[in-house]
PDB file of all heavy atoms in Angstrom:
ATOM      1  N   LEU A   1       0.833  -1.205   0.000  1.00 92.00           N
ATOM      2  CA  LEU A   1       0.000   0.000   0.000  1.00 92.00           C
ATOM      3  C   LEU A   1       0.866   1.252   0.000  1.00 92.00           C
ATOM      4  O   LEU A   1       0.586   2.224  -0.704  1.00 92.00           O
ATOM      5  CB  LEU A   1      -0.915   0.004   1.224  1.00 92.00           C
ATOM      6  CG  LEU A   1      -1.985  -1.094   1.306  1.00 92.00           C
ATOM      7  CD1 LEU A   1      -2.661  -1.051   2.669  1.00 92.00           C
ATOM      8  CD2 LEU A   1      -3.001  -0.942   0.182  1.00 92.00           C
ATOM      9  N   GLU A   2       1.937   1.220   0.813  1.00 89.00           N
ATOM     10  CA  GLU A   2       2.845   2.370   0.869  1.00 89.00           C
ATOM     11  C   GLU A   2       3.540   2.583  -0.473  1.00 89.00           C
ATOM     12  O   GLU A   2       3.740   3.729  -0.909  1.00 89.00           O
ATOM     13  CB  GLU A   2       3.882   2.168   1.980  1.00 89.00           C
ATOM     14  CG  GLU A   2       3.294   2.065   3.380  1.00 89.00           C
ATOM     15  CD  GLU A   2       2.673   3.362   3.848  1.00 89.00           C
ATOM     16  OE1 GLU A   2       2.846   4.401   3.190  1.00 89.00           O
ATOM     17  OE2 GLU A   2       1.981   3.336   4.895  1.00 89.00           O
ATOM     18  N   ALA A   3       3.922   1.492  -1.118  1.00 90.00           N
ATOM     19  CA  ALA A   3       4.573   1.616  -2.428  1.00 90.00           C
ATOM     20  C   ALA A   3       3.631   2.268  -3.435  1.00 90.00           C
ATOM     21  O   ALA A   3       4.058   3.079  -4.269  1.00 90.00           O
ATOM     22  CB  ALA A   3       5.019   0.245  -2.917  1.00 90.00           C
ATOM     23  N   GLU A   4       2.358   1.935  -3.361  1.00 93.00           N
ATOM     24  CA  GLU A   4       1.382   2.563  -4.261  1.00 93.00           C
ATOM     25  C   GLU A   4       1.177   4.027  -3.917  1.00 93.00           C
ATOM     26  O   GLU A   4       1.085   4.882  -4.803  1.00 93.00           O
ATOM     27  CB  GLU A   4       0.064   1.809  -4.175  1.00 93.00           C
ATOM     28  CG  GLU A   4      -0.982   2.276  -5.172  1.00 93.00           C
ATOM     29  CD  GLU A   4      -2.213   1.389  -5.170  1.00 93.00           C
ATOM     30  OE1 GLU A   4      -3.034   1.516  -4.235  1.00 93.00           O
ATOM     31  OE2 GLU A   4      -2.358   0.558  -6.092  1.00 93.00           O
ATOM     32  N   ASP A   5       1.106   4.330  -2.619  1.00 91.00           N
ATOM     33  CA  ASP A   5       0.883   5.710  -2.198  1.00 91.00           C
ATOM     34  C   ASP A   5       2.078   6.614  -2.488  1.00 91.00           C
ATOM     35  O   ASP A   5       1.936   7.836  -2.528  1.00 91.00           O
ATOM     36  CB  ASP A   5       0.583   5.757  -0.694  1.00 91.00           C
ATOM     37  CG  ASP A   5      -0.780   5.163  -0.361  1.00 91.00           C
ATOM     38  OD1 ASP A   5      -1.617   5.061  -1.279  1.00 91.00           O
ATOM     39  OD2 ASP A   5      -0.991   4.788   0.810  1.00 91.00           O
ATOM     40  N   SER A   6       3.247   6.007  -2.681  1.00 90.00           N
ATOM     41  CA  SER A   6       4.457   6.820  -2.892  1.00 90.00           C
ATOM     42  C   SER A   6       4.516   7.452  -4.272  1.00 90.00           C
ATOM     43  O   SER A   6       5.316   8.354  -4.513  1.00 90.00           O
ATOM     44  CB  SER A   6       5.708   5.962  -2.676  1.00 90.00           C
ATOM     45  OG  SER A   6       5.844   4.990  -3.717  1.00 90.00           O
ATOM     46  N   ASP A   7       3.675   6.984  -5.203  1.00 92.00           N
ATOM     47  CA  ASP A   7       3.738   7.473  -6.578  1.00 92.00           C
ATOM     48  C   ASP A   7       2.321   7.479  -7.153  1.00 92.00           C
ATOM     49  O   ASP A   7       1.690   6.424  -7.272  1.00 92.00           O
ATOM     50  CB  ASP A   7       4.643   6.570  -7.419  1.00 92.00           C
ATOM     51  CG  ASP A   7       4.918   7.126  -8.809  1.00 92.00           C
ATOM     52  OD1 ASP A   7       4.101   7.931  -9.301  1.00 92.00           O
ATOM     53  OD2 ASP A   7       5.932   6.742  -9.416  1.00 92.00           O
ATOM     54  N   PRO A   8       1.790   8.641  -7.519  1.00 93.00           N
ATOM     55  CA  PRO A   8       0.407   8.696  -8.041  1.00 93.00           C
ATOM     56  C   PRO A   8       0.226   7.966  -9.355  1.00 93.00           C
ATOM     57  O   PRO A   8      -0.904   7.717  -9.768  1.00 93.00           O
ATOM     58  CB  PRO A   8       0.159  10.208  -8.199  1.00 93.00           C
ATOM     59  CG  PRO A   8       1.520  10.815  -8.332  1.00 93.00           C
ATOM     60  CD  PRO A   8       2.416   9.980  -7.476  1.00 93.00           C
ATOM     61  N   HIS A   9       1.329   7.616 -10.036  1.00 95.00           N
ATOM     62  CA  HIS A   9       1.233   6.924 -11.315  1.00 95.00           C
ATOM     63  C   HIS A   9       1.310   5.408 -11.182  1.00 95.00           C
ATOM     64  O   HIS A   9       1.339   4.699 -12.192  1.00 95.00           O
ATOM     65  CB  HIS A   9       2.353   7.406 -12.253  1.00 95.00           C
ATOM     66  CG  HIS A   9       2.247   8.844 -12.613  1.00 95.00           C
ATOM     67  ND1 HIS A   9       3.349   9.640 -12.876  1.00 95.00           N
ATOM     68  CD2 HIS A   9       1.172   9.658 -12.740  1.00 95.00           C
ATOM     69  CE1 HIS A   9       2.948  10.871 -13.156  1.00 95.00           C
ATOM     70  NE2 HIS A   9       1.635  10.905 -13.083  1.00 95.00           N
ATOM     71  N   VAL A  10       1.374   4.910  -9.952  1.00 94.00           N
ATOM     72  CA  VAL A  10       1.599   3.490  -9.719  1.00 94.00           C
ATOM     73  C   VAL A  10       0.323   2.798  -9.277  1.00 94.00           C
ATOM     74  O   VAL A  10      -0.435   3.331  -8.472  1.00 94.00           O
ATOM     75  CB  VAL A  10       2.711   3.290  -8.655  1.00 94.00           C
ATOM     76  CG1 VAL A  10       2.665   1.892  -8.064  1.00 94.00           C
ATOM     77  CG2 VAL A  10       4.076   3.565  -9.272  1.00 94.00           C
ATOM     78  N   SER A  11       0.086   1.604  -9.821  1.00 96.00           N
ATOM     79  CA  SER A  11      -0.952   0.703  -9.331  1.00 96.00           C
ATOM     80  C   SER A  11      -0.281  -0.592  -8.903  1.00 96.00           C
ATOM     81  O   SER A  11       0.405  -1.227  -9.711  1.00 96.00           O
ATOM     82  CB  SER A  11      -1.985   0.410 -10.422  1.00 96.00           C
ATOM     83  OG  SER A  11      -2.824  -0.668 -10.045  1.00 96.00           O
ATOM     84  N   MET A  12      -0.467  -0.979  -7.639  1.00 96.00           N
ATOM     85  CA  MET A  12       0.184  -2.183  -7.137  1.00 96.00           C
ATOM     86  C   MET A  12      -0.729  -3.399  -7.247  1.00 96.00           C
ATOM     87  O   MET A  12      -0.803  -4.227  -6.350  1.00 96.00           O
ATOM     88  CB  MET A  12       0.624  -1.975  -5.690  1.00 96.00           C
ATOM     89  CG  MET A  12       1.882  -1.151  -5.526  1.00 96.00           C
ATOM     90  SD  MET A  12       3.314  -1.834  -6.410  1.00 96.00           S
ATOM     91  CE  MET A  12       3.513  -3.399  -5.586  1.00 96.00           C
ATOM     92  N   ALA A  13      -1.415  -3.506  -8.371  1.00 97.00           N
ATOM     93  CA  ALA A  13      -2.223  -4.694  -8.645  1.00 97.00           C
ATOM     94  C   ALA A  13      -1.386  -5.690  -9.434  1.00 97.00           C
ATOM     95  O   ALA A  13      -0.538  -5.302 -10.252  1.00 97.00           O
ATOM     96  CB  ALA A  13      -3.477  -4.328  -9.424  1.00 97.00           C
ATOM     97  N   ILE A  14      -1.609  -6.976  -9.168  1.00 97.00           N
ATOM     98  CA  ILE A  14      -1.021  -8.030  -9.975  1.00 97.00           C
ATOM     99  C   ILE A  14      -2.169  -8.813 -10.589  1.00 97.00           C
ATOM    100  O   ILE A  14      -3.329  -8.650 -10.220  1.00 97.00           O
ATOM    101  CB  ILE A  14      -0.111  -8.950  -9.142  1.00 97.00           C
ATOM    102  CG1 ILE A  14      -0.907  -9.631  -8.016  1.00 97.00           C
ATOM    103  CG2 ILE A  14       1.043  -8.163  -8.571  1.00 97.00           C
ATOM    104  CD1 ILE A  14      -0.077 -10.615  -7.208  1.00 97.00           C
ATOM    105  N   GLY A  15      -1.862  -9.670 -11.556  1.00 95.00           N
ATOM    106  CA  GLY A  15      -2.964 -10.363 -12.195  1.00 95.00           C
ATOM    107  C   GLY A  15      -2.534 -11.513 -13.063  1.00 95.00           C
ATOM    108  O   GLY A  15      -1.360 -11.871 -13.154  1.00 95.00           O
ATOM    109  N   GLY A  16      -3.519 -12.121 -13.690  1.00 96.00           N
ATOM    110  CA  GLY A  16      -3.290 -13.210 -14.626  1.00 96.00           C
ATOM    111  C   GLY A  16      -4.435 -13.280 -15.615  1.00 96.00           C
ATOM    112  O   GLY A  16      -5.569 -12.887 -15.314  1.00 96.00           O
ATOM    113  N   VAL A  17      -4.131 -13.771 -16.810  1.00 97.00           N
ATOM    114  CA  VAL A  17      -5.121 -13.896 -17.872  1.00 97.00           C
ATOM    115  C   VAL A  17      -5.216 -15.362 -18.282  1.00 97.00           C
ATOM    116  O   VAL A  17      -4.201 -15.984 -18.607  1.00 97.00           O
ATOM    117  CB  VAL A  17      -4.749 -13.042 -19.100  1.00 97.00           C
ATOM    118  CG1 VAL A  17      -5.818 -13.178 -20.193  1.00 97.00           C
ATOM    119  CG2 VAL A  17      -4.565 -11.586 -18.723  1.00 97.00           C
ATOM    120  N   ALA A  18      -6.418 -15.898 -18.252  1.00 96.00           N
ATOM    121  CA  ALA A  18      -6.677 -17.251 -18.745  1.00 96.00           C
ATOM    122  C   ALA A  18      -7.439 -17.129 -20.054  1.00 96.00           C
ATOM    123  O   ALA A  18      -8.516 -16.525 -20.094  1.00 96.00           O
ATOM    124  CB  ALA A  18      -7.485 -18.052 -17.726  1.00 96.00           C
ATOM    125  N   VAL A  19      -6.875 -17.684 -21.137  1.00 97.00           N
ATOM    126  CA  VAL A  19      -7.511 -17.648 -22.457  1.00 97.00           C
ATOM    127  C   VAL A  19      -8.151 -19.002 -22.729  1.00 97.00           C
ATOM    128  O   VAL A  19      -7.495 -20.046 -22.633  1.00 97.00           O
ATOM    129  CB  VAL A  19      -6.484 -17.312 -23.556  1.00 97.00           C
ATOM    130  CG1 VAL A  19      -7.158 -17.319 -24.939  1.00 97.00           C
ATOM    131  CG2 VAL A  19      -5.841 -15.956 -23.286  1.00 97.00           C
ATOM    132  N   MET A  20      -9.452 -18.979 -23.048  1.00 97.00           N
ATOM    133  CA  MET A  20     -10.219 -20.206 -23.261  1.00 97.00           C
ATOM    134  C   MET A  20     -10.547 -20.427 -24.730  1.00 97.00           C
ATOM    135  O   MET A  20     -10.805 -19.473 -25.469  1.00 97.00           O
ATOM    136  CB  MET A  20     -11.523 -20.158 -22.457  1.00 97.00           C
ATOM    137  CG  MET A  20     -11.406 -20.708 -21.058  1.00 97.00           C
ATOM    138  SD  MET A  20     -10.382 -19.695 -19.962  1.00 97.00           S
ATOM    139  CE  MET A  20     -11.371 -18.216 -19.809  1.00 97.00           C
ATOM    140  N   ASP A  21     -10.575 -21.684 -25.123  1.00 96.00           N
ATOM    141  CA  ASP A  21     -10.944 -22.067 -26.475  1.00 96.00           C
ATOM    142  C   ASP A  21     -12.467 -22.101 -26.594  1.00 96.00           C
ATOM    143  O   ASP A  21     -13.156 -22.532 -25.665  1.00 96.00           O
ATOM    144  CB  ASP A  21     -10.380 -23.458 -26.789  1.00 96.00           C
ATOM    145  CG  ASP A  21      -9.891 -23.568 -28.220  1.00 96.00           C
ATOM    146  OD1 ASP A  21     -10.072 -22.599 -28.975  1.00 96.00           O
ATOM    147  OD2 ASP A  21      -9.326 -24.620 -28.564  1.00 96.00           O
ATOM    148  N   GLY A  22     -12.970 -21.641 -27.740  1.00 94.00           N
ATOM    149  CA  GLY A  22     -14.412 -21.675 -27.973  1.00 94.00           C
ATOM    150  C   GLY A  22     -15.069 -20.341 -27.711  1.00 94.00           C
ATOM    151  O   GLY A  22     -14.481 -19.440 -27.101  1.00 94.00           O
ATOM    152  N   PRO A  23     -16.315 -20.193 -28.135  1.00 93.00           N
ATOM    153  CA  PRO A  23     -17.033 -18.919 -27.958  1.00 93.00           C
ATOM    154  C   PRO A  23     -17.349 -18.682 -26.486  1.00 93.00           C
ATOM    155  O   PRO A  23     -17.502 -19.625 -25.704  1.00 93.00           O
ATOM    156  CB  PRO A  23     -18.307 -19.113 -28.778  1.00 93.00           C
ATOM    157  CG  PRO A  23     -18.519 -20.595 -28.790  1.00 93.00           C
ATOM    158  CD  PRO A  23     -17.144 -21.206 -28.814  1.00 93.00           C
ATOM    159  N   PRO A  24     -17.461 -17.417 -26.071  1.00 92.00           N
ATOM    160  CA  PRO A  24     -17.748 -17.125 -24.657  1.00 92.00           C
ATOM    161  C   PRO A  24     -19.171 -17.521 -24.294  1.00 92.00           C
ATOM    162  O   PRO A  24     -20.098 -17.378 -25.099  1.00 92.00           O
ATOM    163  CB  PRO A  24     -17.553 -15.607 -24.574  1.00 92.00           C
ATOM    164  CG  PRO A  24     -17.799 -15.111 -25.954  1.00 92.00           C
ATOM    165  CD  PRO A  24     -17.303 -16.193 -26.868  1.00 92.00           C
TER     166      PRO A  24
END
């Protein structure tokens, strides 16, 4: 949280993308 607050241009979110075969 402090790392994010130290810079207004920073977002300390992490993530992942799962790509699936076939129509949604």
Side-chain angles (χ1 to χ4, degrees):
L1 295 172
E2 298 293 350
E4 186 173 77
D5 290 341
S6 69
D7 188 336
H9 296 149
V10 162
S11 168
M12 282 303 297
I14 60 177
V17 181
V19 178
M20 271 68 67
D21 218 355

